[in-house]
Every structure is written in C-alpha cells, then in structure tokens.
Amino acid sequence: MSEISLLERLREALIAVRDRHGDAASTLYAVIDPILADPFPDAAGEAREGVVLPADKFAPGDCPYLLTLGEFGRDPRAEATIALSLQETLAQEGGDRAGRSVCGWLVLPAGIPVEQAVRAYARQSQLVVGGERRTFRFWDPRTLDLARDVLTPTQLNAILGPAASWSWLSRQRRLETVWIDPREHDALYTVAVQTNEEQQRLLSRLPEINLVMDSLTVAALDTTPIKAIEVGRRLVEADVQWRLHDPRDQVSYAICCMIYGAPFTANAPIRQQLSHGLETGTPAMPAVLGMLDTLEPQLVALESGAVS
C-alpha cells in the first residue's frame, strides 16, 4: 500500500474515533515525545501541557506533552501529526529512526482538566520492579504494542485514563485504540498500576524486543504478522529455559525463532547444541549460528510447509 493510501486510511480511522465520542465538549490531544526532536517547538502556552517526569532522569525539555488539536481534516496541526506519525513509523521500518515523536492521540472527556491528566500520566510512568523504581515509557507506541498484550484491560485502562480513548499507530501500520469507560476513571488512575512478575519480565525486555524487530526490518523481512509479546516470550525462553544470559545471545535466539518458527528449536542438531550449552554452562548461540549455513534450507522448508 502506498504512503498516500496509508495516510488516508489513518486519517479516516482517526476521524471515526473522534466521531464515536460525539461530544463537542471533549478535547482532542496529540501525545508528543520531544526527547529526540520536538516537532512543534512553536506550540506554547495553552496549546501544550507537559508531563513532569523525575528530574534525575529527564531534562524539562525531554518530557512528553499533550498538544491541543482541532478537528482532523480542518486543523493543520492535527493533519501534521497524522503525516509525521506515519513518516516516523515508515522510517523505523527502514532502520533510519530510533523513536517516535508523535506517539498517539487521546480524547479527554468534558470536565477532566488537562492538568489532572498529565499528573496521572506522570504517576503511571513510574513502575517498581524488584524494589527499584523504573520509568515506564507507556506513551511510546512500541511500548503500547507490547503492553496491550501483556497487561490486563483494567491495568491498561488505569495507565491510559483519564482519557476516554487513546490511539496510536502500531508497528503493523494499524490504528490501535483503547477505550476507557469514564465511570471507571476515579477508581482506576488514582494509584500507580501494579504488575506481576511475569508482566515485569516481559515489559523489561522492551529494548531487546525493539532490537529484534529492527534487525528483522533492516534485513528486509516482513514483521507485520509478528507480535511484540511473541518476541518477548522467546527472549524470556532464551534466558530461563536455555540460560542464555548474554543479551546478544537472547536477541540472536529470538531472531532465529521469528525467522524459522517452531522448526528452529525442534531441529535435532540445534536442540542438541542448546542442550550442550545448558549442561556445560557455555554460550550455545555462536555454535548454533555457525550451523545455520548448513541447516537453513531445511529450516526454511519446514517453516514454509514444503517438508512435513
């Protein structure tokens, strides 16, 4: 699909989200992350409201902010967010950009001050993992791609409330939207979300997940059907099941799993090498990668269904 067609499809989807609210008193915002570059440096005053993050980790100019928008199709600034979001997503696919400045769009219901919203988002940006406070960049679309599968609906609503809806452009170039029931706002977003150990393990793998996806993209492989949570599970599997504790080995293992699917770990020589590394405590992936030149035709044939 051409970039122009993708742009039109994204605009139509966003207009449909906005129309579903049907409340002229609600307010549309873009979620902007300026840490790499601020796409709207001239927006000031009432047009933007910053999320104040811990000063020991974020300079004031690096904190995300909510940018007030008019209606799609009428407001040039709203149109600019659509075009830039798509451009940045496509640039990531080409390996040219590490992040996204236009992270998404949210609608605040009438009666919810934007100052109240940014305070809630500042609170939800802090997760406690193993007794240590960590920043949870939930506004990043790549994080939301993973969080939507890892977190429960109640947890996700707690993070994204008090918005009535939160939309973002996924890796699959689809507009994803989380709808939050306004009746749940007070109960949900007044405290920081709590996550269990399995959720923390998967969320903590986000940098490696991005590295796997970026590596596959740079190699011109189609990542459209690949879900971030599946990559995360393979990374955890490498660490826990095969004791591949080096992040580089974990990433290599996950890449192979994404390329070759189930035949990769089912292949007898590969499984034998992984088991040998598990028994001896020696890194197995260098040897496994060295075997791929010989085994790749067989793995590809099995994954494609040409061999059964």
Side-chain angles (χ1 to χ4, degrees):
M1 185 177 294
S2 70
E3 185 171 341
I4 293 177
S5 298
L6 287 169
L7 185 65
E8 290 300 324
R9 188 176 69 176
L10 177 57
R11 179 185 291 108
E12 290 172 2
L14 283 166
I15 290 174
V17 169
R18 189 70 181 99
D19 288 347
R20 176 171 164 177
H21 287 281
D23 183 359
S26 62
T27 307
L28 174 67
Y29 295 90
V31 184
I32 306 297
D33 188 343
I35 195 166
L36 294 179
D38 189 346
F40 300 99
D42 297 330
E46 296 181 358
R48 60 191 286 169
E49 189 72 31
V51 179
V52 180
L53 300 179
D56 60 333
K57 295 184 178 180
F58 290 85
D62 291 343
C63 295
Y65 63 88
L66 302 185
L67 179 69
T68 307
L69 300 179
E71 296 303 318
F72 295 116
R74 298 179 181 178
D75 177 21
R77 185 176 288 164
E79 289 295 296
T81 63
I82 300 175
L84 186 55
S85 176
L86 181 58
Q87 289 170 10
E88 292 178 335
T89 302
L90 295 177
Q92 278 187 327
E93 292 179 7
D96 297 330
R97 189 179 178 89
R100 307 258 289 272
S101 62
V102 178
C103 294
W105 302 265
L106 64 85
V107 175
L108 282 184
I112 302 291
V114 66
E115 298 84 0
Q116 183 177 339
V118 295
R119 286 196 298 270
Y121 296 140
R123 181 166 51 248
Q124 299 298 355
S125 73
Q126 302 303 301
L127 285 182
V128 177
V129 180
E132 177 184 354
R133 188 188 72 180
R134 297 185 182 179
T135 299
F136 180 37
R137 300 176 62 88
F138 66 86
W139 56 88
D140 188 316
R142 298 170 301 177
T143 303
L144 286 169
D145 283 345
L146 176 62
R148 186 163 194 179
D149 292 332
V150 171
L151 300 178
T152 67
T154 297
Q155 289 173 318
L156 199 57
N157 289 352
I159 290 171
L160 301 182
S165 68
W166 186 301
S167 304
W168 72 96
L169 187 59
S170 72
R171 285 183 182 273
Q172 286 74 30
R173 307 183 208 167
R174 291 193 303 265
L175 186 73
E176 302 287 350
T177 299
V178 173
W179 300 90
I180 304 102
D181 188 338
R183 293 170 298 181
E184 297 181 340
H185 283 162
D186 290 342
L188 286 174
Y189 74 86
T190 53
V191 295
V193 69
Q194 302 296 311
T195 53
N196 61 38
E197 187 175 339
E198 181 181 7
Q199 291 172 326
Q200 291 171 10
R201 274 202 304 265
L202 287 167
L203 292 172
S204 68
R205 304 283 178 173
L206 189 62
E208 288 80 16
I209 290 172
N210 289 332
L211 184 54
V212 170
M213 299 293 276
D214 291 344
S215 298
L216 293 171
T217 299
V218 170
L221 297 171
D222 181 16
T223 60
T224 303
I226 298 176
K227 286 193 170 186
I229 190 171
E230 290 303 323
V231 178
R233 285 170 176 161
R234 299 292 81 76
L235 289 164
V236 171
E237 180 179 278
D239 186 16
V240 176
Q241 179 176 338
W242 299 111
R243 297 180 190 171
L244 300 171
H245 300 314
D246 188 326
R248 293 171 297 183
D249 289 339
Q250 295 171 14
V251 167
S252 296
Y253 177 89
I255 289 174
C256 290
C257 289
M258 295 303 105
I259 293 175
Y260 303 117
F264 175 69
T265 51
N267 179 271
I270 290 176
R271 196 168 187 87
Q272 182 179 10
Q273 190 63 54
L274 289 169
S275 298
H276 176 72
L278 183 64
E279 294 168 1
T280 61
T282 57
M285 281 310 297
V288 168
L289 295 175
M291 300 164 62
L292 288 181
D293 285 343
T294 302
L295 297 175
E296 185 170 30
Q298 180 183 355
L299 294 172
V300 171
L302 287 169
E303 173 63 4
S304 66
V307 176
S308 59

